[in-house]
Amino acid sequence: PAGVEPIEWTLLTTRPLRDYWDALQIVQIYKLRWIIEIFHMVIKEGYAVEELQLHTAHRIQNAIALFSLAAIQITRLRYASLFSPDTPLTQWGFKTLNYNLLALYLNQQYADKIPLADEQHPPSMQEFCKLIHRMGGGKRNQPVGIRSLWTGWHEAQIVWNTALLFYTG
């Protein structure tokens, strides 16, 4: 803005920059760094892969591959809640049933009741992420955080898999 001293950024790269568009591409790649950082934090802290002590490269690769699937989903949830909060959860591949099962479970745990959603008006990603956040021990008035998401995601999987067992069994 006028009257404000501009910020000058220096981004070091080993890639050749021939023009403005090359520089812009490097900036776009660098912006992905934070998504990658969140992904690695979920793998390392959320799933404690380093503490598994699996002893062979093959076992470590298998564990990382398995935990990466969950870490990708949790990272998607985090960024959906930030950048697509009003988008219906169905556009992100979830079902209203996923939301309702968590709402029913949480309604048994807490006095403040969460209304169930219907198929014609699916909940937003923000509403869905807030439920997962609550499943992970997050407070209702706190912002959705990555740690509550990875804990909540694990708990949500238990609820969904239990419901699936009863539904199919």
Side-chain angles (χ1 to χ4, degrees):
V4 176
E5 186 177 342
I7 297 173
E8 183 177 319
W9 292 87
T10 301
L11 183 60
L12 301 177
T13 180
T14 57
R15 295 181 84 176
L17 300 177
R18 295 177 300 275
D19 55 26
Y20 169 81
W21 300 108
D22 286 348
L24 187 61
Q25 183 181 31
I26 295 299
V27 170
Q28 294 299 325
I29 291 168
Y30 184 76
K31 285 170 48 178
L32 297 174
R33 176 176 177 253
W34 295 111
I35 296 172
I36 295 166
E37 292 290 334
I38 293 294
F39 171 83
H40 283 113
M41 184 172 74
V42 172
I43 291 283
K44 291 175 75 174
E45 291 182 35
Y47 291 106
V49 170
E50 294 174 327
E51 296 172 22
L52 293 176
Q53 299 182 14
L54 296 173
H55 303 294
T56 68
H58 181 70
R59 289 179 179 173
I60 293 169
Q61 286 173 337
N62 287 342
I64 290 173
L66 181 64
F67 291 131
S68 290
L69 297 173
I72 288 168
Q73 196 67 281
I74 293 163
T75 304
R76 282 182 69 227
L77 287 171
R78 173 72 175 141
Y79 282 90
S81 72
L82 291 174
F83 301 113
S84 297
D86 299 325
T87 304
L89 69 114
T90 52
Q91 289 187 17
W92 282 83
F94 297 101
K95 297 182 179 345
T96 303
L97 179 61
N98 294 117
Y99 177 91
N100 285 339
L101 287 170
L102 297 184
L104 287 168
Y105 179 81
L106 289 168
N107 285 344
Q108 298 298 313
Q109 309 297 316
Y110 299 104
D112 58 321
K113 301 302 179 198
I114 301 161
L116 299 181
D118 62 53
E119 296 292 331
Q120 287 74 34
H121 304 95
S124 69
M125 280 306 293
Q126 185 174 40
E127 293 168 310
F128 186 54
C129 289
K130 283 183 180 181
L131 286 190
I132 294 172
H133 165 76
R134 295 276 312 268
M135 293 290 295
K139 305 290 184 226
R140 187 174 50 147
N141 56 351
Q142 288 179 333
V144 173
I146 194 68
R147 286 177 175 83
S148 62
L149 278 178
W150 79 54
T151 304
W153 184 252
H154 176 73
E155 297 298 318
Q157 293 296 321
I158 293 170
V159 170
W160 295 328
N161 288 332
T162 302
L164 185 61
L165 271 174
F166 282 103
Y167 181 73
T168 59

